[in-house]
Amino acid sequence: MIVLFRVDHRLLHGQVIFSWTSALKPDCILVANDDVASDELRKTTLRLSKPNDVKLVIKNIDDSIAAINGGKTDKYHLMIVVSNVADATRMALAVEQIAAIDLGGTKPTDETKQIAKSINLTDEDIALLKNAQDQGIEVYIQGVPSDKKVPFLA
């Protein structure tokens, strides 16, 4: 069962490791990211930062979709973290079990505009999220579990 599907450019950090895992009690975190999946140093760094009692799996986007759709993750209370909106919408539209996208943190760039605290989106990101909403995916902003869930309005 997927307990959280989150976009956060930092992947694993304090909010995810402490706040979200304490609140949701996942027994597995899936980091779905093409770059990290092929970078041994980054994988090692993420493994060092994970909570002791939580399994960490790092896969590329295609393998993540295949694992979830193939039932390999069904036995877990699974938290999924991706680093960007494009990966999030791609996965959400390909995986029936993903009903919602939590926008937790996206990095500011010259091409983004800030739409909420820690949420910076390009016009393309906004279009992708709008399309996901049109397909029935809930999109919301929630930094930590104690924050109010705010609907994303495209």
Side-chain angles (χ1 to χ4, degrees):
M1 170 165 105
I2 297 171
V3 297
L4 181 67
F5 182 66
R6 180 178 173 89
V7 177
D8 196 315
H9 71 276
R10 299 169 292 179
L11 297 171
L12 292 185
H13 59 92
Q15 286 177 342
V16 171
I17 295 167
F18 298 107
S19 297
W20 285 106
T21 58
S22 294
L24 300 176
K25 308 283 190 246
D27 51 15
C28 183
I29 297 172
L30 169 61
V31 171
N33 184 283
D34 291 341
D35 294 333
V36 174
S38 62
D39 185 331
E40 289 304 317
L41 180 60
R42 287 183 72 190
K43 286 196 291 192
T44 299
T45 303
L46 290 175
R47 285 185 187 111
L48 291 171
S49 66
K50 76 163 189 72
N52 288 332
D53 55 345
V54 179
K55 177 180 175 126
L56 176 65
V57 177
I58 301 168
K59 292 186 173 291
N60 66 37
I61 299 299
D62 287 336
D63 289 347
S64 296
I65 291 168
I68 297 165
N69 286 340
K72 292 181 180 175
T73 62
D74 290 353
K75 64 185 175 184
Y76 297 109
H77 284 132
L78 184 65
M79 179 188 308
I80 305 169
V81 184
V82 298
S83 65
N84 61 69
V85 168
D87 288 347
T89 55
R90 181 174 156 205
M91 284 187 69
L93 294 173
V95 175
E96 189 175 315
Q97 291 181 52
I98 298 174
I101 299 170
D102 171 26
L103 299 176
T106 56
K107 170 170 39 173
T109 69
D110 291 339
E111 293 84 38
T112 61
K113 54 187 159 199
Q114 186 175 25
I115 64 155
K117 181 182 175 189
S118 301
I119 307 297
N120 303 277
L121 301 175
T122 64
D123 290 340
E124 181 181 349
D125 291 337
I126 292 168
L128 289 169
L129 292 167
K130 171 85 171 87
N131 179 56
Q133 287 178 317
D134 291 346
Q135 303 298 316
I137 305 295
E138 177 188 13
V139 180
Y140 63 92
I141 300 164
Q142 187 175 21
V144 293
S146 60
D147 289 348
K148 183 179 178 190
K149 195 189 239 190
V150 177
F152 170 76
L153 303 172

